[in-house]
Amino acid sequence: MIDDDYVPEDNTATPASNDGDRRYYVYRLVDPLAPETPLYVGKGTGDRIHDHAADARAYNKALAAGLRPRAGRFVRKHAKILRAGRRLTAEKQVTQL
């Protein structure tokens, strides 16, 4: 799944191997207006790097519907960035852990 809310620097997903061993990677999400300070650093497999955008879009959708959704600080901040018309950059830092 490619997410339009990110500008990926490395858009290659790291799939799980055939023996069930998962290959992890470390990633960071960066606001292009402040690239020296990542907004989020995480560890994931597959398309995990793109899951955060779905949470932020769902939060914005609930706000638009007049609801008061509960979300963590990062989701609220990411949602605000999307509402401002910006996109985060997704960068894989370390692959195949």
Side-chain angles (χ1 to χ4, degrees):
M1 174 181 93
I2 304 300
D3 199 320
D4 291 336
D5 289 324
Y6 289 116
V7 179
E9 277 201 3
D10 175 8
N11 196 24
T12 58
T14 306
S17 67
N18 291 335
D19 64 0
D21 180 36
R22 302 187 121 205
R23 301 293 178 182
Y24 291 93
Y25 55 86
V26 176
Y27 63 95
R28 67 187 200 142
L29 302 177
V30 179
D31 184 345
L33 296 181
E36 65 283 350
T37 306
L39 293 176
Y40 186 85
V41 176
K43 179 179 100 173
T45 62
D47 288 335
R48 174 67 179 136
I49 196 169
H50 301 290
D51 289 346
H52 303 285
D55 294 339
R57 283 193 314 272
Y59 180 84
N60 282 338
K61 186 176 181 178
L63 282 180
L67 302 175
R68 294 183 54 164
R70 295 184 63 181
R73 184 175 64 89
F74 172 70
V75 171
R76 292 191 314 269
K77 190 173 211 176
H78 189 173
K80 184 176 181 179
I81 288 168
L82 293 178
R83 288 192 307 272
R86 297 194 324 267
R87 298 189 292 175
L88 297 182
T89 301
E91 304 171 345
K92 285 188 181 177
Q93 301 295 301
V94 180
T95 60
Q96 299 185 1
L97 295 176

